[in-house]
Amino acid sequence: MDCVFCRIVNKEIPAAVVYEDEEVMAFKDINPQAPVHILIIPKQHLTSIMDLDDSNSDVVKKIIKVAQNLARENNIDKKGFRVVVNTGNDGGQTVHHLHFHLLGGRFMTWPPG
Ligand code: AMP
Ligand code: ZN
Protein backbone atom coordinates (compact mmCIF):
# COMPACT_ATOMS: atom_id res chain seq x y z
CA MET A 1 0.00 0.00 0.00
CA ASP A 2 1.34 3.39 -0.94
CA CYS A 3 0.71 5.45 2.19
CA VAL A 4 2.97 8.40 2.97
CA PHE A 5 2.45 8.10 6.75
CA CYS A 6 3.16 4.34 6.73
CA ARG A 7 6.38 5.21 4.90
CA ILE A 8 7.24 7.70 7.66
CA VAL A 9 6.47 5.03 10.30
CA ASN A 10 8.76 2.60 8.43
CA LYS A 11 11.48 5.29 8.18
CA GLU A 12 11.38 5.07 4.39
CA ILE A 13 10.96 8.84 4.17
CA PRO A 14 12.24 11.36 6.70
CA ALA A 15 10.11 13.38 9.09
CA ALA A 16 10.78 15.70 12.03
CA VAL A 17 9.70 13.18 14.65
CA VAL A 18 8.89 14.69 18.05
CA TYR A 19 7.48 11.59 19.78
CA GLU A 20 7.51 7.86 19.14
CA ASP A 21 6.54 4.68 20.99
CA GLU A 22 5.40 1.21 19.86
CA GLU A 23 1.94 2.39 18.85
CA VAL A 24 2.09 6.13 18.22
CA MET A 25 4.23 8.57 16.27
CA ALA A 26 4.18 12.38 16.20
CA PHE A 27 6.00 14.57 13.69
CA LYS A 28 5.93 18.14 12.46
CA ASP A 29 3.55 18.93 9.60
CA ILE A 30 5.51 19.63 6.43
CA ASN A 31 3.20 22.57 5.60
CA PRO A 32 2.52 24.16 8.99
CA GLN A 33 -0.69 26.18 9.40
CA ALA A 34 0.29 27.55 12.83
CA PRO A 35 3.52 28.09 14.82
CA VAL A 36 2.91 24.66 16.38
CA HIS A 37 1.57 22.11 13.90
CA ILE A 38 2.22 18.50 14.79
CA LEU A 39 0.58 15.37 13.40
CA ILE A 40 -0.06 12.50 15.82
CA ILE A 41 -0.78 9.13 14.23
CA PRO A 42 -1.32 5.50 15.15
CA LYS A 43 1.49 3.40 13.66
CA GLN A 44 -1.13 0.93 12.54
CA HIS A 45 -2.66 1.93 9.22
CA LEU A 46 -6.23 3.07 9.85
CA THR A 47 -7.80 5.10 7.06
CA SER A 48 -9.86 7.46 9.20
CA ILE A 49 -11.82 7.60 12.44
CA MET A 50 -14.42 5.51 10.58
CA ASP A 51 -11.96 2.57 10.85
CA LEU A 52 -11.95 2.74 14.66
CA ASP A 53 -13.78 0.08 16.66
CA ASP A 54 -13.43 -1.74 19.99
CA SER A 55 -10.49 -3.78 18.67
CA ASN A 56 -8.23 -0.83 17.81
CA SER A 57 -9.47 2.34 19.51
CA ASP A 58 -7.31 2.15 22.67
CA VAL A 59 -4.68 3.99 20.65
CA VAL A 60 -6.90 7.10 20.61
CA LYS A 61 -6.51 7.44 24.37
CA LYS A 62 -2.74 7.29 23.93
CA ILE A 63 -2.88 9.87 21.16
CA ILE A 64 -4.78 12.28 23.42
CA LYS A 65 -2.14 11.79 26.14
CA VAL A 66 0.61 12.49 23.60
CA ALA A 67 -1.30 15.62 22.50
CA GLN A 68 -1.43 16.82 26.13
CA ASN A 69 2.29 16.23 26.62
CA LEU A 70 3.21 17.92 23.33
CA ALA A 71 0.94 20.87 24.21
CA ARG A 72 2.85 21.25 27.49
CA GLU A 73 6.26 20.85 25.80
CA ASN A 74 5.36 23.50 23.23
CA ASN A 75 3.94 25.86 25.83
CA ILE A 76 0.46 26.01 24.35
CA ASP A 77 -1.29 24.04 27.12
CA LYS A 78 -2.40 27.17 28.98
CA LYS A 79 -2.98 29.48 26.00
CA GLY A 80 -5.01 26.83 24.21
CA PHE A 81 -4.80 24.88 21.00
CA ARG A 82 -6.88 22.88 18.59
CA VAL A 83 -6.94 19.16 17.82
CA VAL A 84 -8.40 18.43 14.39
CA VAL A 85 -9.22 15.18 12.62
CA ASN A 86 -10.23 15.86 9.04
CA THR A 87 -12.31 12.97 7.76
CA GLY A 88 -13.22 12.11 4.20
CA ASN A 89 -13.71 14.39 1.23
CA ASP A 90 -15.94 17.03 2.79
CA GLY A 91 -13.75 16.98 5.90
CA GLY A 92 -10.74 17.95 3.80
CA GLN A 93 -8.77 14.76 4.46
CA THR A 94 -5.88 14.48 2.00
CA VAL A 95 -3.77 11.74 3.63
CA HIS A 96 -5.77 8.58 4.19
CA HIS A 97 -3.96 7.40 7.30
CA LEU A 98 -5.69 8.51 10.50
CA HIS A 99 -3.96 11.56 11.97
CA PHE A 100 -4.69 14.15 14.66
CA HIS A 101 -3.51 17.70 13.93
CA LEU A 102 -2.24 19.55 17.01
CA LEU A 103 -2.36 23.25 16.16
CA GLY A 104 -1.38 26.15 18.38
CA GLY A 105 0.67 29.26 18.94
CA ARG A 106 -1.87 31.62 17.40
CA PHE A 107 -5.55 32.43 17.85
CA MET A 108 -7.78 30.07 15.89
CA THR A 109 -10.90 31.44 14.28
CA TRP A 110 -14.24 29.68 14.11
CA PRO A 111 -15.95 28.47 11.99
CA PRO A 112 -13.16 26.74 10.06
CA GLY A 113 -13.00 27.31 6.32
P1 AMP B 1 -5.25 16.26 6.06
O1 AMP B 1 -5.52 17.33 5.03
O2 AMP B 1 -6.05 16.42 7.32
O3 AMP B 1 -5.34 14.88 5.47
O4 AMP B 1 -3.77 16.51 6.54
C1 AMP B 1 -2.66 15.95 5.93
C2 AMP B 1 -1.48 16.74 6.43
O5 AMP B 1 -0.31 16.00 6.19
C3 AMP B 1 -1.31 18.10 5.75
O6 AMP B 1 -1.35 19.12 6.74
C4 AMP B 1 0.07 17.98 5.09
O7 AMP B 1 0.78 19.19 5.13
C5 AMP B 1 0.72 16.90 5.89
N1 AMP B 1 1.76 16.11 5.22
C6 AMP B 1 1.68 15.53 3.99
N2 AMP B 1 2.82 14.88 3.71
C7 AMP B 1 3.64 15.04 4.78
C8 AMP B 1 4.96 14.62 5.10
N3 AMP B 1 5.69 13.88 4.25
N4 AMP B 1 5.49 15.00 6.30
C9 AMP B 1 4.78 15.76 7.15
N5 AMP B 1 3.52 16.17 6.91
C10 AMP B 1 2.96 15.84 5.74
ZN1 ZN C 1 -0.73 4.29 6.37
Side-chain angles (χ1 to χ4, degrees), residues 3-11 13 15 17-29 37-48 52 56 58-64 66-67 70 83-85 93 95-102:
C3 169
V4 64
F5 289 176
C6 282
R7 295 184 70 195
I8 288 174
V9 168
N10 296 326
K11 308 274 158 87
I13 56 172
V17 176
V18 294
Y19 178 81
E20 182 173 8
D21 64 30
E22 305 89 71
E23 290 172 279
V24 175
M25 195 175 213
F27 49 89
K28 292 185 182 174
D29 196 292
H37 189 173
I38 295 169
L39 302 174
I40 311 169
I41 70 168
K43 285 188 167 178
Q44 181 187 4
H45 181 89
L46 300 168
T47 301
S48 78
L52 290 166
N56 58 22
D58 283 358
V59 72
V60 174
K61 226 165 129 178
K62 285 193 82 170
I63 286 171
I64 297 302
V66 171
L70 289 170
V83 175
V84 175
V85 186
Q93 186 177 6
V95 176
H96 297 281
H97 180 132
L98 176 63
H99 53 281
F100 290 63
H101 296 258
L102 173 66

Short mmCIF file of all heavy atoms in Angstrom, two decimals, residues 3-11 13 15 17-29 37-48 52 56 58-64 66-67 70 83-85 93 95-102:
data_model
loop_
_atom_site.label_atom_id
_atom_site.label_comp_id
_atom_site.label_asym_id
_atom_site.label_seq_id
_atom_site.Cartn_x
_atom_site.Cartn_y
_atom_site.Cartn_z
N CYS A 3 1.23 4.49 1.22
CA CYS A 3 0.71 5.45 2.19
C CYS A 3 1.88 6.24 2.74
O CYS A 3 2.83 5.68 3.29
CB CYS A 3 -0.02 4.71 3.30
SG CYS A 3 -0.41 5.77 4.71
N VAL A 4 1.83 7.56 2.58
CA VAL A 4 2.97 8.40 2.97
C VAL A 4 3.24 8.29 4.49
O VAL A 4 4.41 8.27 4.90
CB VAL A 4 2.76 9.86 2.51
CG1 VAL A 4 1.57 10.51 3.17
CG2 VAL A 4 4.02 10.69 2.72
N PHE A 5 2.21 8.17 5.30
CA PHE A 5 2.45 8.10 6.75
C PHE A 5 2.97 6.73 7.15
O PHE A 5 3.80 6.64 8.07
CB PHE A 5 1.20 8.51 7.54
CG PHE A 5 0.88 9.99 7.45
CD1 PHE A 5 -0.27 10.50 8.04
CD2 PHE A 5 1.72 10.88 6.80
CE1 PHE A 5 -0.56 11.86 7.98
CE2 PHE A 5 1.43 12.24 6.71
CZ PHE A 5 0.28 12.73 7.30
N CYS A 6 2.55 5.65 6.47
CA CYS A 6 3.16 4.34 6.73
C CYS A 6 4.64 4.38 6.35
O CYS A 6 5.48 3.79 7.04
CB CYS A 6 2.45 3.25 5.93
SG CYS A 6 0.89 2.71 6.66
N ARG A 7 4.97 5.10 5.30
CA ARG A 7 6.38 5.21 4.90
C ARG A 7 7.18 5.99 5.94
O ARG A 7 8.35 5.68 6.18
CB ARG A 7 6.48 5.85 3.51
CG ARG A 7 5.86 4.95 2.44
CD ARG A 7 6.05 5.52 1.06
NE ARG A 7 7.44 5.45 0.65
CZ ARG A 7 7.96 6.11 -0.39
NH1 ARG A 7 7.19 6.90 -1.12
NH2 ARG A 7 9.23 5.99 -0.69
N ILE A 8 6.56 6.98 6.57
CA ILE A 8 7.24 7.70 7.66
C ILE A 8 7.43 6.76 8.85
O ILE A 8 8.51 6.70 9.45
CB ILE A 8 6.46 8.98 8.04
CG1 ILE A 8 6.62 10.03 6.92
CG2 ILE A 8 6.93 9.53 9.38
CD1 ILE A 8 5.78 11.29 7.09
N VAL A 9 6.38 6.00 9.20
CA VAL A 9 6.47 5.03 10.30
C VAL A 9 7.61 4.04 10.04
O VAL A 9 8.38 3.71 10.95
CB VAL A 9 5.13 4.27 10.49
CG1 VAL A 9 5.29 3.07 11.41
CG2 VAL A 9 4.05 5.22 11.02
N ASN A 10 7.73 3.59 8.80
CA ASN A 10 8.76 2.60 8.43
C ASN A 10 10.12 3.22 8.15
O ASN A 10 11.04 2.53 7.72
CB ASN A 10 8.30 1.79 7.22
CG ASN A 10 7.07 0.96 7.53
OD1 ASN A 10 6.91 0.48 8.65
ND2 ASN A 10 6.19 0.80 6.55
N LYS A 11 10.22 4.54 8.38
CA LYS A 11 11.48 5.29 8.18
C LYS A 11 11.97 5.22 6.73
O LYS A 11 13.16 5.30 6.46
CB LYS A 11 12.59 4.79 9.15
CG LYS A 11 12.17 4.74 10.62
CD LYS A 11 12.38 6.09 11.30
CE LYS A 11 11.55 6.29 12.54
NZ LYS A 11 12.06 5.84 13.78
N ILE A 13 10.77 7.42 4.48
CA ILE A 13 10.96 8.84 4.17
C ILE A 13 11.14 9.59 5.48
O ILE A 13 10.59 9.19 6.51
CB ILE A 13 9.82 9.45 3.31
CG1 ILE A 13 8.45 9.25 3.96
CG2 ILE A 13 9.80 8.87 1.91
CD1 ILE A 13 7.36 10.01 3.23
N ALA A 15 11.07 12.46 8.48
CA ALA A 15 10.11 13.38 9.09
C ALA A 15 10.76 13.94 10.35
O ALA A 15 11.69 13.32 10.90
CB ALA A 15 8.81 12.67 9.42
N VAL A 17 10.44 13.94 13.64
CA VAL A 17 9.70 13.18 14.65
C VAL A 17 9.91 13.82 16.03
O VAL A 17 11.03 14.09 16.43
CB VAL A 17 10.17 11.70 14.66
CG1 VAL A 17 9.47 10.92 15.78
CG2 VAL A 17 9.91 11.05 13.31
N VAL A 18 8.80 14.08 16.72
CA VAL A 18 8.89 14.69 18.05
C VAL A 18 8.46 13.72 19.16
O VAL A 18 8.68 13.99 20.34
CB VAL A 18 8.07 16.00 18.14
CG1 VAL A 18 8.69 17.06 17.23
CG2 VAL A 18 6.61 15.79 17.78
N TYR A 19 7.85 12.61 18.79
CA TYR A 19 7.48 11.59 19.78
C TYR A 19 7.29 10.26 19.05
O TYR A 19 6.77 10.23 17.94
CB TYR A 19 6.17 11.94 20.52
CG TYR A 19 5.80 10.84 21.48
CD1 TYR A 19 6.40 10.76 22.74
CD2 TYR A 19 4.90 9.84 21.11
CE1 TYR A 19 6.11 9.71 23.61
CE2 TYR A 19 4.59 8.79 21.98
CZ TYR A 19 5.21 8.74 23.22
OH TYR A 19 4.92 7.70 24.07
N GLU A 20 7.71 9.18 19.72
CA GLU A 20 7.51 7.86 19.14
C GLU A 20 7.48 6.81 20.24
O GLU A 20 8.29 6.86 21.17
CB GLU A 20 8.64 7.55 18.15
CG GLU A 20 8.47 6.22 17.45
CD GLU A 20 9.48 5.96 16.34
OE1 GLU A 20 10.43 6.74 16.17
OE2 GLU A 20 9.31 4.94 15.65
N ASP A 21 6.50 5.90 20.17
CA ASP A 21 6.54 4.68 20.99
C ASP A 21 6.09 3.52 20.10
O ASP A 21 6.06 3.67 18.87
CB ASP A 21 5.72 4.84 22.28
CG ASP A 21 4.24 5.05 22.05
OD1 ASP A 21 3.70 4.55 21.03
OD2 ASP A 21 3.60 5.71 22.88
N GLU A 22 5.73 2.39 20.68
CA GLU A 22 5.40 1.21 19.86
C GLU A 22 4.15 1.43 19.00
O GLU A 22 4.02 0.87 17.92
CB GLU A 22 5.16 -0.04 20.71
CG GLU A 22 6.28 -0.44 21.63
CD GLU A 22 6.14 0.24 22.97
OE1 GLU A 22 5.22 -0.13 23.73
OE2 GLU A 22 6.93 1.16 23.27
N GLU A 23 3.25 2.27 19.51
CA GLU A 23 1.94 2.39 18.85
C GLU A 23 1.68 3.74 18.18
O GLU A 23 0.80 3.84 17.32
CB GLU A 23 0.83 2.19 19.88
CG GLU A 23 0.68 0.79 20.40
CD GLU A 23 -0.31 0.77 21.54
OE1 GLU A 23 0.09 1.10 22.67
OE2 GLU A 23 -1.47 0.45 21.28
N VAL A 24 2.41 4.76 18.63
CA VAL A 24 2.09 6.13 18.22
C VAL A 24 3.33 6.85 17.71
O VAL A 24 4.45 6.61 18.21
CB VAL A 24 1.51 6.92 19.44
CG1 VAL A 24 1.28 8.38 19.09
CG2 VAL A 24 0.21 6.28 19.91
N MET A 25 3.14 7.73 16.75
CA MET A 25 4.23 8.57 16.27
C MET A 25 3.70 10.00 16.12
O MET A 25 2.53 10.19 15.75
CB MET A 25 4.73 8.05 14.93
CG MET A 25 6.05 8.58 14.49
SD MET A 25 6.53 7.73 12.98
CE MET A 25 8.26 7.68 13.19
N ALA A 26 4.55 10.98 16.40
CA ALA A 26 4.18 12.38 16.20
C ALA A 26 5.33 13.07 15.49
O ALA A 26 6.49 12.86 15.82
CB ALA A 26 3.90 13.06 17.54
N PHE A 27 4.97 13.86 14.47
CA PHE A 27 6.00 14.57 13.69
C PHE A 27 5.43 15.89 13.22
O PHE A 27 4.21 16.10 13.17
CB PHE A 27 6.48 13.71 12.51
CG PHE A 27 5.37 13.13 11.66
CD1 PHE A 27 4.86 13.82 10.58
CD2 PHE A 27 4.84 11.88 11.96
CE1 PHE A 27 3.84 13.29 9.81
CE2 PHE A 27 3.81 11.33 11.19
CZ PHE A 27 3.31 12.04 10.12
N LYS A 28 6.35 16.81 12.88
CA LYS A 28 5.93 18.14 12.46
C LYS A 28 5.28 18.09 11.07
O LYS A 28 5.79 17.38 10.18
CB LYS A 28 7.12 19.09 12.44
CG LYS A 28 7.64 19.37 13.84
CD LYS A 28 8.73 20.41 13.84
CE LYS A 28 9.25 20.61 15.26
NZ LYS A 28 10.41 21.49 15.32
N ASP A 29 4.19 18.84 10.92
CA ASP A 29 3.55 18.93 9.60
C ASP A 29 4.49 19.64 8.63
O ASP A 29 5.11 20.65 8.98
CB ASP A 29 2.22 19.68 9.71
CG ASP A 29 1.35 19.47 8.48
OD1 ASP A 29 1.72 19.95 7.39
OD2 ASP A 29 0.30 18.80 8.60
N HIS A 37 2.44 22.96 14.72
CA HIS A 37 1.57 22.11 13.90
C HIS A 37 2.20 20.73 13.81
O HIS A 37 3.15 20.50 13.06
CB HIS A 37 1.36 22.71 12.50
CG HIS A 37 0.30 21.99 11.70
ND1 HIS A 37 -0.14 22.45 10.48
CD2 HIS A 37 -0.41 20.85 11.95
CE1 HIS A 37 -1.08 21.63 10.01
NE2 HIS A 37 -1.25 20.64 10.88
N ILE A 38 1.68 19.85 14.66
CA ILE A 38 2.22 18.50 14.79
C ILE A 38 1.12 17.51 14.42
O ILE A 38 -0.05 17.72 14.74
CB ILE A 38 2.69 18.27 16.25
CG1 ILE A 38 3.88 19.20 16.57
CG2 ILE A 38 3.08 16.81 16.49
CD1 ILE A 38 4.25 19.25 18.06
N LEU A 39 1.51 16.44 13.73
CA LEU A 39 0.58 15.37 13.40
C LEU A 39 0.85 14.19 14.31
O LEU A 39 2.02 13.79 14.48
CB LEU A 39 0.75 14.94 11.93
CG LEU A 39 0.55 16.05 10.90
CD1 LEU A 39 0.88 15.52 9.50
CD2 LEU A 39 -0.88 16.59 10.93
N ILE A 40 -0.19 13.66 14.92
CA ILE A 40 -0.06 12.50 15.82
C ILE A 40 -0.83 11.36 15.18
O ILE A 40 -2.03 11.51 14.86
CB ILE A 40 -0.62 12.82 17.22
CG1 ILE A 40 -0.05 14.16 17.74
CG2 ILE A 40 -0.28 11.68 18.19
CD1 ILE A 40 -0.75 14.67 19.00
N ILE A 41 -0.15 10.23 14.98
CA ILE A 41 -0.78 9.13 14.23
C ILE A 41 -0.61 7.80 14.96
O ILE A 41 0.37 7.60 15.68
CB ILE A 41 -0.18 9.01 12.80
CG1 ILE A 41 1.27 8.51 12.82
CG2 ILE A 41 -0.26 10.34 12.06
CD1 ILE A 41 1.82 8.09 11.46
N PRO A 42 -1.56 6.88 14.74
CA PRO A 42 -1.32 5.50 15.15
C PRO A 42 -0.34 4.88 14.15
O PRO A 42 -0.42 5.18 12.95
CB PRO A 42 -2.70 4.84 15.04
CG PRO A 42 -3.42 5.64 14.01
CD PRO A 42 -2.85 7.04 14.06
N LYS A 43 0.58 4.05 14.62
CA LYS A 43 1.49 3.40 13.66
C LYS A 43 0.73 2.43 12.76
O LYS A 43 1.08 2.25 11.60
CB LYS A 43 2.62 2.69 14.41
CG LYS A 43 3.65 3.67 14.96
CD LYS A 43 4.85 2.95 15.51
CE LYS A 43 5.99 3.94 15.76
NZ LYS A 43 7.17 3.26 16.35
N GLN A 44 -0.30 1.84 13.34
CA GLN A 44 -1.13 0.93 12.54
C GLN A 44 -1.87 1.74 11.47
O GLN A 44 -2.40 2.81 11.76
CB GLN A 44 -2.15 0.24 13.46
CG GLN A 44 -3.05 -0.73 12.73
CD GLN A 44 -4.18 -1.28 13.62
OE1 GLN A 44 -4.34 -0.88 14.77
NE2 GLN A 44 -4.94 -2.21 13.08
N HIS A 45 -1.93 1.22 10.26
CA HIS A 45 -2.66 1.93 9.22
C HIS A 45 -4.16 1.82 9.44
O HIS A 45 -4.74 0.75 9.31
CB HIS A 45 -2.31 1.42 7.82
CG HIS A 45 -3.04 2.19 6.75
ND1 HIS A 45 -2.53 3.33 6.18
CD2 HIS A 45 -4.28 2.02 6.22
CE1 HIS A 45 -3.42 3.83 5.32
NE2 HIS A 45 -4.48 3.05 5.33
N LEU A 46 -4.78 2.95 9.79
CA LEU A 46 -6.23 3.07 9.85
C LEU A 46 -6.56 4.23 8.93
O LEU A 46 -5.89 5.27 8.98
CB LEU A 46 -6.70 3.35 11.28
CG LEU A 46 -6.33 2.31 12.35
CD1 LEU A 46 -6.58 2.85 13.74
CD2 LEU A 46 -7.11 1.02 12.12
N THR A 47 -7.55 4.08 8.08
CA THR A 47 -7.80 5.10 7.06
C THR A 47 -8.35 6.40 7.65
O THR A 47 -7.95 7.49 7.24
CB THR A 47 -8.78 4.52 6.01
OG1 THR A 47 -8.17 3.36 5.44
CG2 THR A 47 -9.07 5.51 4.91
N SER A 48 -9.25 6.26 8.60
CA SER A 48 -9.86 7.46 9.20
C SER A 48 -10.49 7.05 10.52
O SER A 48 -10.44 5.87 10.90
CB SER A 48 -10.94 8.05 8.29
OG SER A 48 -12.13 7.30 8.38
N LEU A 52 -12.13 3.07 13.24
CA LEU A 52 -11.95 2.74 14.66
C LEU A 52 -13.11 1.89 15.17
O LEU A 52 -14.28 2.14 14.84
CB LEU A 52 -11.86 4.03 15.49
CG LEU A 52 -10.58 4.85 15.30
CD1 LEU A 52 -10.76 6.25 15.88
CD2 LEU A 52 -9.38 4.16 15.93
N ASN A 56 -9.42 -1.63 18.13
CA ASN A 56 -8.23 -0.83 17.81
C ASN A 56 -8.28 0.60 18.36
O ASN A 56 -7.37 1.38 18.09
CB ASN A 56 -8.02 -0.79 16.28
CG ASN A 56 -9.24 -0.22 15.55
OD1 ASN A 56 -10.03 0.50 16.12
ND2 ASN A 56 -9.37 -0.56 14.27
N ASP A 58 -8.10 1.77 21.48
CA ASP A 58 -7.31 2.15 22.67
C ASP A 58 -6.23 3.17 22.31
O ASP A 58 -5.85 4.00 23.15
CB ASP A 58 -6.63 0.92 23.28
CG ASP A 58 -7.61 0.06 24.08
OD1 ASP A 58 -8.79 0.46 24.17
OD2 ASP A 58 -7.19 -0.99 24.59
N VAL A 59 -5.76 3.10 21.08
CA VAL A 59 -4.68 3.99 20.65
C VAL A 59 -5.13 5.46 20.70
O VAL A 59 -4.29 6.35 20.88
CB VAL A 59 -4.19 3.59 19.23
CG1 VAL A 59 -5.20 3.94 18.14
CG2 VAL A 59 -2.81 4.19 18.94
N VAL A 60 -6.41 5.71 20.59
CA VAL A 60 -6.90 7.10 20.61
C VAL A 60 -6.62 7.75 21.98
O VAL A 60 -6.24 8.91 22.06
CB VAL A 60 -8.40 7.17 20.24
CG1 VAL A 60 -8.94 8.59 20.40
CG2 VAL A 60 -8.61 6.69 18.81
N LYS A 61 -6.80 6.96 23.02
CA LYS A 61 -6.51 7.44 24.37
C LYS A 61 -5.03 7.83 24.49
O LYS A 61 -4.69 8.87 25.07
CB LYS A 61 -6.81 6.32 25.36
CG LYS A 61 -7.60 6.73 26.57
CD LYS A 61 -8.14 5.50 27.26
CE LYS A 61 -7.81 5.53 28.73
NZ LYS A 61 -8.37 4.35 29.44
N LYS A 62 -4.17 6.99 23.92
CA LYS A 62 -2.74 7.29 23.93
C LYS A 62 -2.45 8.56 23.14
O LYS A 62 -1.63 9.38 23.55
CB LYS A 62 -1.94 6.12 23.33
CG LYS A 62 -1.82 4.94 24.25
CD LYS A 62 -0.77 3.96 23.76
CE LYS A 62 0.64 4.38 24.15
NZ LYS A 62 1.62 3.29 23.87
N ILE A 63 -3.11 8.70 22.01
CA ILE A 63 -2.88 9.87 21.16
C ILE A 63 -3.27 11.15 21.90
O ILE A 63 -2.56 12.17 21.83
CB ILE A 63 -3.63 9.72 19.81
CG1 ILE A 63 -2.89 8.70 18.93
CG2 ILE A 63 -3.79 11.06 19.09
CD1 ILE A 63 -3.63 8.28 17.67
N ILE A 64 -4.36 11.09 22.65
CA ILE A 64 -4.78 12.28 23.42
C ILE A 64 -3.74 12.61 24.51
O ILE A 64 -3.40 13.77 24.73
CB ILE A 64 -6.19 12.08 24.04
CG1 ILE A 64 -7.24 11.90 22.95
CG2 ILE A 64 -6.54 13.24 24.98
CD1 ILE A 64 -7.36 13.03 21.95
N VAL A 66 -0.54 11.92 24.32
CA VAL A 66 0.61 12.49 23.60
C VAL A 66 0.32 13.94 23.24
O VAL A 66 1.19 14.82 23.38
CB VAL A 66 0.93 11.64 22.34
CG1 VAL A 66 1.95 12.32 21.46
CG2 VAL A 66 1.42 10.25 22.75
N ALA A 67 -0.92 14.24 22.83
CA ALA A 67 -1.30 15.62 22.50
C ALA A 67 -1.16 16.52 23.73
O ALA A 67 -0.64 17.64 23.64
CB ALA A 67 -2.73 15.67 21.97
N LEU A 70 2.62 17.05 24.34
CA LEU A 70 3.21 17.92 23.33
C LEU A 70 2.72 19.36 23.51
O LEU A 70 3.47 20.31 23.28
CB LEU A 70 2.90 17.40 21.93
CG LEU A 70 3.64 16.12 21.54
CD1 LEU A 70 3.08 15.57 20.23
CD2 LEU A 70 5.15 16.37 21.39
N VAL A 83 -7.20 20.51 18.34
CA VAL A 83 -6.94 19.16 17.82
C VAL A 83 -7.98 18.89 16.75
O VAL A 83 -9.18 19.02 17.00
CB VAL A 83 -7.01 18.10 18.94
CG1 VAL A 83 -6.85 16.70 18.35
CG2 VAL A 83 -5.94 18.35 20.00
N VAL A 84 -7.51 18.56 15.54
CA VAL A 84 -8.40 18.43 14.39
C VAL A 84 -8.19 17.08 13.73
O VAL A 84 -7.05 16.65 13.53
CB VAL A 84 -8.10 19.56 13.36
CG1 VAL A 84 -8.92 19.37 12.08
CG2 VAL A 84 -8.36 20.93 13.96
N VAL A 85 -9.29 16.43 13.39
CA VAL A 85 -9.22 15.18 12.62
C VAL A 85 -10.10 15.35 11.38
O VAL A 85 -11.33 15.16 11.44
CB VAL A 85 -9.70 13.95 13.44
CG1 VAL A 85 -9.46 12.67 12.64
CG2 VAL A 85 -8.98 13.88 14.78
N GLN A 93 -9.86 15.72 4.22
CA GLN A 93 -8.77 14.76 4.46
C GLN A 93 -8.02 14.51 3.16
O GLN A 93 -8.63 14.14 2.15
CB GLN A 93 -9.34 13.45 5.01
CG GLN A 93 -8.25 12.46 5.41
CD GLN A 93 -8.83 11.18 6.03
OE1 GLN A 93 -10.04 10.98 6.07
NE2 GLN A 93 -7.94 10.31 6.50
N VAL A 95 -4.60 12.93 3.38
CA VAL A 95 -3.77 11.74 3.63
C VAL A 95 -4.66 10.71 4.33
O VAL A 95 -5.21 10.98 5.41
CB VAL A 95 -2.54 12.08 4.48
CG1 VAL A 95 -1.76 10.79 4.80
CG2 VAL A 95 -1.63 13.07 3.76
N HIS A 96 -4.79 9.55 3.71
CA HIS A 96 -5.77 8.58 4.19
C HIS A 96 -5.16 7.56 5.15
O HIS A 96 -5.28 6.35 4.95
CB HIS A 96 -6.51 7.97 2.98
CG HIS A 96 -7.26 9.04 2.24
ND1 HIS A 96 -8.48 9.52 2.65
CD2 HIS A 96 -6.91 9.80 1.17
CE1 HIS A 96 -8.87 10.49 1.84
NE2 HIS A 96 -7.92 10.68 0.94
N HIS A 97 -4.47 8.12 6.13
CA HIS A 97 -3.96 7.40 7.30
C HIS A 97 -4.35 8.28 8.48
O HIS A 97 -3.93 9.45 8.53
CB HIS A 97 -2.44 7.20 7.19
CG HIS A 97 -1.79 6.47 8.32
ND1 HIS A 97 -0.90 5.41 8.12
CD2 HIS A 97 -1.87 6.64 9.66
CE1 HIS A 97 -0.47 4.96 9.30
NE2 HIS A 97 -1.04 5.70 10.25
N LEU A 98 -5.15 7.73 9.39
CA LEU A 98 -5.69 8.51 10.50
C LEU A 98 -4.60 9.38 11.16
O LEU A 98 -3.52 8.90 11.48
CB LEU A 98 -6.28 7.55 11.55
CG LEU A 98 -6.80 8.16 12.85
CD1 LEU A 98 -7.97 9.11 12.57
CD2 LEU A 98 -7.22 7.05 13.81
N HIS A 99 -4.91 10.66 11.32
CA HIS A 99 -3.96 11.56 11.97
C HIS A 99 -4.71 12.66 12.71
O HIS A 99 -5.78 13.11 12.29
CB HIS A 99 -2.98 12.17 10.97
CG HIS A 99 -3.64 12.83 9.79
ND1 HIS A 99 -4.13 12.10 8.72
CD2 HIS A 99 -3.88 14.13 9.50
CE1 HIS A 99 -4.66 12.93 7.84
NE2 HIS A 99 -4.52 14.17 8.29
N PHE A 100 -4.14 13.08 13.82
CA PHE A 100 -4.69 14.15 14.66
C PHE A 100 -3.76 15.35 14.51
O PHE A 100 -2.57 15.25 14.84
CB PHE A 100 -4.74 13.70 16.12
CG PHE A 100 -5.77 12.63 16.40
CD1 PHE A 100 -5.68 11.38 15.81
CD2 PHE A 100 -6.82 12.87 17.27
CE1 PHE A 100 -6.62 10.39 16.06
CE2 PHE A 100 -7.77 11.90 17.53
CZ PHE A 100 -7.67 10.65 16.93
N HIS A 101 -4.29 16.46 14.00
CA HIS A 101 -3.51 17.70 13.93
C HIS A 101 -3.52 18.36 15.31
O HIS A 101 -4.59 18.56 15.90
CB HIS A 101 -4.14 18.70 12.96
CG HIS A 101 -4.20 18.28 11.53
ND1 HIS A 101 -3.33 18.75 10.57
CD2 HIS A 101 -5.04 17.44 10.87
CE1 HIS A 101 -3.64 18.24 9.39
NE2 HIS A 101 -4.68 17.44 9.53
N LEU A 102 -2.35 18.71 15.81
CA LEU A 102 -2.24 19.55 17.01
C LEU A 102 -1.75 20.91 16.55
O LEU A 102 -0.63 21.04 16.02
CB LEU A 102 -1.24 18.92 18.00
CG LEU A 102 -0.89 19.77 19.23
CD1 LEU A 102 -2.10 19.96 20.15
CD2 LEU A 102 0.25 19.13 20.03
#
